[in-house]
Amino acid sequence: MRKTDYAFWTFLLMTGLAGATTLLNVTQTYSATSSQNSELYKQLDLFGDVLERVRSDYVDKPDDTALIESAINGMLSSLDPHSSYMSPKSFRDMQVQTRGEFGGLGIEVTMENGVIKVVSPIDDTPASKAGLMSNDLITHLDNEAISGLTLEQAVEKMRGPVNTPITLTIVRKGKDEPFDIKVVRDVIRINPVKSEVEGDIGYVKITTFNEQTHANLVKAIDSLDKKIGPNLKGYIIDLRNNPGGLLDQAIAVSDDFLEQGAIVLTKGRNNEETQRANARPGDITDGKKMVVLINGGSASASEIVAGALQDHKRATVVGTRSFGKGSVQTIIPLGANGAIRLTTARYFTPSNRSIQAKGIEPDINVTEAVPDDLKDKVAADKPRGEASLRGHLKNPDGSDQTKDDDLGEPSGSASYVNKDADKDTQLQYAINFLDGKAKGPETSSATPSPSDTPAAVPSKDGDKKAPIPSSDDDKKVTPN
């Protein structure tokens, strides 16, 4: 046989073998996929059988929509504590929360003895212009009694399209009779950033990360810089009890204080889904000294900011261990059927550490002092962190703190904050630190002191301090 003929037949043989191998692999893959789909369809048939049995035999006629929504939510919530289904109304409410603006009156309210109590009107809003005052009681909305409504239901009635009126019936201390106030709704913007001057120090409180956070932070820093002037010693960024919010806002806020380097890494199921956000040149504080305050209520986006500034040694983190929510949720709209909130990635700090179910350990551990009259109430509420949530994602390195190694207590730390700034232990420590009256993490030699004056001690890996249980506010305050 000639060499050319041999080469030709060899080529045909190899091509045939390759084709047969490919066909076999495709057949096996199809067979495996078909088998998996067949099993899935059997499970869906089971679900259909159960649904029909409930619809036909349950003691009361069930709501079909509620049944399906509950089934979907059950599937998602079984994945982890942060995946869930949102009904169309819940989805709309979430959008209002993240936008930070809505059509409303401009008052913060709470529920008290079955009526709505005005906590405070927001400056330059329809409510303040109409003359509403703190401690006013709202008994009727458009002549309909509030009695029997929840706080959320009453707030929903007060919100509405811009330029539409609503009549509030008010009971005010010092007035003998209730009276009506007509208010025309307008666009209300909730400022998640509050700032104050503390001597030569700028104090900034960030309450959430909505679409307004970055822009309002820049304005607050600029305002503080002008008020304090050249003697400004530094800034305190208070992230205590900030539950998080939008990832892009956490990145923007971190970028405000960094000149370069990574801010956060997000890693999904596949390697190609890994993303890294980097800082751009420009520090809105011109490199001023910074302290970041965190506690057991600081979660998610708050932890991204604290972790980025800590890793870059741009700020000293003071307080107690943060919540430990190191996962990213993506909102996937379902058209007219609401949306799902699905955990799609874990996030990592610039040094590639995951704080999932662990939290950010502060550079200086400072426990907030609890007044004597609140100690029993606060002690009754155990602190809860991510690791104490049933079904939480495990930390990738397997070291999530489900229990404190030394104390056997649930993961979590103090989230109580004294409303009196002069008695706010963590805030006062931060002020003293920036004033040079308190030592930093490398040199501090403070030891635990009596409970009325908690000591500040440098945090170290494995250094677990007994947390003071957190306390939720007695009353929920809702802007509308």
Side-chain angles (χ1 to χ4, degrees):
M1 182 180 294
R2 290 181 299 176
K3 289 184 178 180
T4 53
D5 292 338
Y6 177 79
F8 173 75
W9 288 107
T10 301
F11 172 75
L12 287 180
L13 178 61
M14 296 301 293
T15 301
L17 288 173
T21 301
T22 301
L23 180 61
L24 179 62
N25 288 338
V26 169
T27 302
Q28 289 177 339
T29 301
Y30 175 80
S31 177
T33 303
S34 177
S35 177
Q36 291 173 356
N37 288 340
S38 177
E39 184 61 30
L40 176 60
Y41 293 145
K42 288 181 181 179
Q43 297 300 319
L44 290 176
D45 287 340
L46 172 62
F47 172 76
D49 291 342
V50 173
L51 177 62
E52 284 305 314
R53 179 67 65 170
V54 170
R55 295 180 71 227
S56 63
D57 294 352
Y58 186 66
V59 62
D60 294 320
K61 181 176 174 57
D63 183 317
D64 290 346
T65 300
L67 286 177
I68 297 299
E69 288 185 359
S70 297
I72 295 172
N73 203 40
M75 174 178 64
L76 293 170
S77 61
S78 70
L79 299 173
D80 67 83
H82 307 295
S83 294
S84 63
Y85 169 74
M86 290 183 286
S87 67
K89 180 184 179 303
S90 298
F91 184 36
R92 289 193 299 270
D93 291 344
M94 184 277 299
Q95 290 175 309
V96 168
Q97 181 179 354
T98 56
R99 280 198 306 268
E101 63 179 42
F102 50 85
L105 309 181
I107 49 176
E108 291 186 340
V109 296
T110 187
M111 183 71 80
E112 186 173 284
N113 297 325
V115 297
I116 297 297
K117 181 177 180 180
V118 177
V119 176
S120 64
I122 301 172
D123 291 341
D124 198 30
T125 62
S128 63
K129 293 175 182 177
L132 281 166
M133 300 172 61
S134 296
N135 298 317
D136 279 350
L137 300 178
I138 303 174
T139 62
H140 292 71
L141 300 174
D142 282 335
N143 297 319
E144 291 186 10
I146 284 178
S147 179
L149 297 179
T150 65
L151 178 61
E152 288 75 14
Q153 290 170 333
V155 167
E156 186 175 359
K157 285 181 174 293
M158 285 188 280
R159 291 178 180 174
V162 173
N163 295 326
T164 59
I166 184 172
T167 300
L168 311 179
T169 301
I170 305 297
V171 173
R172 179 176 295 170
K173 187 176 181 179
K175 295 280 187 178
D176 295 334
E177 298 291 335
F179 59 95
D180 290 341
I181 292 181
K182 185 177 181 179
V183 187
V184 178
R185 299 179 180 93
D186 199 353
V187 175
I188 307 301
R189 292 179 175 85
I190 301 301
N191 186 356
V193 179
K194 299 178 182 179
S195 61
E196 295 179 7
V197 173
E198 296 285 349
D200 293 333
I201 295 168
Y203 170 81
V204 179
K205 170 71 174 176
I206 302 178
T207 58
T208 189
F209 288 87
N210 64 26
E211 293 178 8
Q212 317 293 327
T213 302
H214 161 66
N216 289 351
L217 173 64
V218 173
K219 293 177 184 177
I221 294 293
D222 182 63
S223 176
L224 289 170
D225 184 57
K226 291 177 180 177
K227 289 178 181 178
I228 300 175
N231 294 325
L232 192 151
K233 294 179 180 178
Y235 293 93
I236 298 170
I237 308 298
D238 192 348
L239 298 177
R240 292 175 298 176
N241 294 332
N242 182 323
L246 299 176
L247 175 62
D248 64 341
Q249 289 293 308
I251 292 171
V253 167
S254 301
D255 192 9
D256 287 336
F257 305 116
L258 296 173
E259 293 282 359
Q260 61 181 0
I263 294 174
V264 64
L265 293 85
T266 58
K267 300 180 182 180
R269 179 192 295 184
N270 304 313
N271 290 333
E272 59 268 20
E273 295 173 348
T274 297
Q275 297 182 351
R276 166 178 164 147
N278 294 310
R280 298 163 298 178
D283 179 349
I284 63 175
T285 67
D286 294 324
K288 293 289 186 182
K289 197 172 180 181
M290 287 177 56
V291 169
V292 172
L293 295 177
I294 63 171
N295 65 7
S298 305
S300 193
S302 301
E303 295 173 293
I304 290 176
V305 175
L309 299 183
Q310 185 182 56
D311 279 5
H312 285 285
K313 301 189 184 302
R314 177 63 189 87
T316 301
V317 179
V318 172
T320 56
R321 185 176 64 246
S322 63
F323 187 83
K325 181 181 176 295
S327 60
V328 179
Q329 282 67 47
T330 300
I331 306 300
I332 305 173
L334 301 174
N337 297 313
I340 61 173
R341 178 190 286 110
L342 189 66
T343 300
T344 54
R346 290 179 171 89
Y347 71 76
F348 295 74
T349 70
S351 63
N352 203 36
R353 59 185 171 127
S354 169
I355 59 97
Q356 171 62 21
K358 291 177 67 175
I360 296 288
E361 289 285 354
D363 298 307
I364 304 174
N365 196 309
V366 179
T367 302
E368 186 82 351
V370 180
D372 291 338
D373 59 335
L374 292 178
K375 284 183 178 179
D376 290 341
K377 179 182 182 302
V378 171
D381 299 321
K382 296 295 182 183
R384 288 171 59 83
E386 175 78 8
S388 64
L389 299 181
R390 179 174 297 177
H392 69 273
L393 294 178
K394 302 300 181 183
N395 191 285
D397 65 10
S399 60
D400 57 305
Q401 297 296 319
T402 303
K403 299 286 184 180
D404 281 328
D405 296 337
D406 299 330
L407 303 175
E409 294 292 338
S411 174
S413 75
S415 61
Y416 171 80
V417 176
N418 198 311
K419 295 181 180 179
D420 185 343
D422 292 335
K423 297 178 181 179
D424 184 339
T425 313
Q426 293 165 336
L427 174 60
Q428 291 304 314
Y429 182 89
I431 292 172
N432 289 332
F433 178 79
L434 292 176
D435 276 336
K437 300 176 182 177
K439 296 181 179 180
E442 289 79 21
T443 58
S444 175
S445 59
T447 55
S449 58
S451 59
D452 58 339
T453 311
V457 292
S459 294
K460 299 178 182 178
D461 291 339
D463 180 13
K464 301 290 185 278
K465 302 298 173 184
I468 295 178
S470 62
S471 172
D472 295 328
D473 290 338
D474 290 335
K475 301 169 185 175
K476 179 179 178 181
V477 176
T478 304
N480 64 84

